[in-house]
Amino acid sequence: MSDIEIHDDRDRGLLEARAGGARGEVVGRIQYFVLDEPRRALVAVHTVVEPAHEGKGIAGSLARELYAMAARETVAVAPLCSFVVTWAERHPGEAPAAPAELLAAAEAALAADPEKW
């Protein structure tokens, strides 16, 4: 995984893992959106790792970086993606649990605008 770099494309709502640097091939990604109400949060919607790159820890590195980004921004993560939910359960020290009302708001925002992913 040493040649993998993770980059945030906030405008597109993508946290991307790239092989070979910033302009390299995208080998994995978490799609997310920013929730503003009831409080600001990063909402993880979907995680994908390209088949040739599975089993290399890329998805976990993406989840770890999503939570690190949230911590730097002092916002929560509201995981709707099943991978991120499971990763967070396995790493409670790195992934604070989101309050139920925040998860409900994230689900409602996604239902109201399916284009968010």
Side-chain angles (χ1 to χ4, degrees):
M1 245 237 7
S2 62
D3 69 331
I4 302 294
E5 292 183 15
I6 298 176
H7 299 276
D8 179 29
D9 185 340
R10 183 65 53 101
D11 292 337
R12 292 176 46 221
L14 291 172
L15 188 61
E16 297 178 322
R18 292 181 173 267
R23 299 190 191 281
E25 170 192 10
V26 175
V27 296
R29 65 194 163 279
I30 290 180
Q31 187 154 358
Y32 72 95
F33 65 91
V34 178
L35 181 71
D36 289 316
E37 296 293 331
R39 66 180 182 141
R40 196 162 175 86
L42 303 179
V43 181
V45 180
H46 190 60
T47 301
V48 174
V49 173
E50 297 304 322
H53 298 277
E54 290 176 351
K56 298 178 182 178
I58 293 170
S61 293
L62 285 164
R64 181 172 279 113
E65 179 57 22
L66 183 72
Y67 277 91
M69 281 173 27
R72 289 190 299 270
E73 296 174 23
T74 63
V75 300
V77 172
L80 300 182
C81 164
S82 60
F83 175 83
V84 178
V85 168
T86 300
W87 187 91
E89 290 169 351
R90 291 182 181 156
H91 300 86
E94 296 177 75
E101 66 273 5
L102 191 59
L103 291 170
E107 290 173 347
L110 186 58
D113 184 2
E115 303 257 335
K116 288 188 183 300
W117 89 285

